[in-house]
Amino acid sequence: MTYIPPKVLAGSYTCPNCGAIAQQNWWCISWDGRQLIQSQCELRVGKCYHCGDHTLWIADKMYFPSTGTAPNPNAEMPAAVKDLYLEAASIQTSSPRGAAALLRLAVQVLGVELGEKGNKIDDDIAALVKKGLPEIVQQSLDVVRVTGNNAVHPGQIDTDDPEIVGQLFSLLNIICEYMIALPKKVSGLYTALPAKAIDAIKKRDAQ
């Protein structure tokens, strides 16, 4: 699904209220109540043409809704992971570094949901790789892991940059899509095949 991150004064983006890519209409005002040109206003309010709900911005940062500019969590994301995801999204604007650390924890919890021990993310990823984890998912896990580590132990990744941290949300959704949603979809379609076809496939694979 295409996702366009919300951006102040943008003509359209993925609405954080309804999830639709929609036109945004803007109303701006300065602190002293004067209506100036948009670039000079501090307080900005966007209205979604699709759902009619609003976003509230101070300068270039969105403060309402509290979900920030992160995309909606994958529909198949486990509840414990989703709770951390939404908590990270709620502080993405005010504390990108804190959001990165929470997303790292979300990956650790996801490892447990996928049957790993959860003691050390690196070990869990290695175990999943041995079980056939696709390379793109392994790389996504490691990006979130390393960036989240950096938020706690500063290094060379700028975890104070909302755009860098914002990309981690999309990666966590990709991980859930590959590891949970896609297998579930394929399994449902496979089991719906005629019994004779499934038996033929099993015989073929046994050869």
Side-chain angles (χ1 to χ4, degrees):
M1 181 183 293
T2 302
Y3 174 74
I4 303 175
K7 186 176 182 180
V8 68
L9 301 181
S12 63
Y13 52 66
T14 300
C15 174
N17 292 297
C18 67
I21 297 177
Q23 177 184 334
Q24 304 293 319
N25 298 314
W26 293 93
W27 174 78
C28 304
I29 195 168
S30 63
W31 290 125
D32 60 6
R34 292 181 299 155
Q35 291 194 9
L36 305 172
I37 61 174
Q38 289 181 339
S39 61
Q40 296 176 334
C41 293
E42 298 92 356
L43 181 65
R44 288 121 177 209
V45 178
K47 182 178 181 180
C48 175
Y49 185 80
H50 182 262
C51 69
D53 283 339
H54 297 82
T55 55
L56 174 63
W57 305 69
I58 297 177
D60 61 349
K61 292 186 177 182
M62 186 173 73
Y63 287 87
F64 178 84
S66 61
T67 52
T69 59
N72 292 328
N74 189 289
E76 298 296 335
M77 185 177 289
V81 180
K82 183 179 178 180
D83 287 345
L84 291 167
Y85 182 100
L86 293 176
E87 184 179 353
S90 72
I91 64 170
Q92 179 190 359
T93 299
S94 59
S95 178
R97 186 181 297 275
L102 281 169
L103 290 174
R104 177 199 174 279
L105 179 57
V107 166
Q108 187 167 1
V109 173
L110 180 59
V112 176
E113 294 286 342
L114 295 174
E116 302 307 324
K117 297 179 180 179
N119 296 325
K120 189 177 180 183
I121 298 179
D122 220 10
D123 292 344
D124 288 349
I125 295 174
L128 289 169
V129 168
K130 290 180 180 178
K131 295 177 182 177
L133 184 74
E135 184 178 11
I136 189 173
V137 181
Q138 169 260 308
Q139 292 176 350
S140 298
L141 284 166
D142 278 321
V143 168
V144 180
R145 175 184 65 83
V146 172
T147 307
N149 284 346
N150 193 86
V152 181
H153 307 289
Q156 297 182 356
I157 302 173
D158 185 8
T159 50
D160 287 322
D161 186 339
E163 289 191 13
I164 290 177
V165 175
Q167 295 170 6
L168 303 183
F169 291 94
S170 295
L171 288 180
L172 193 56
N173 275 331
I174 289 172
I175 293 163
C176 289
E177 182 66 23
Y178 268 88
M179 299 303 296
I180 301 173
L182 189 57
K184 188 174 181 179
K185 292 174 186 175
V186 173
S187 177
L189 291 170
Y190 182 82
T191 55
L193 290 174
K196 289 183 178 180
I198 294 177
D199 287 341
I201 292 171
K202 290 180 179 178
K203 290 177 181 179
R204 178 203 67 193
D205 294 344
Q207 293 178 356

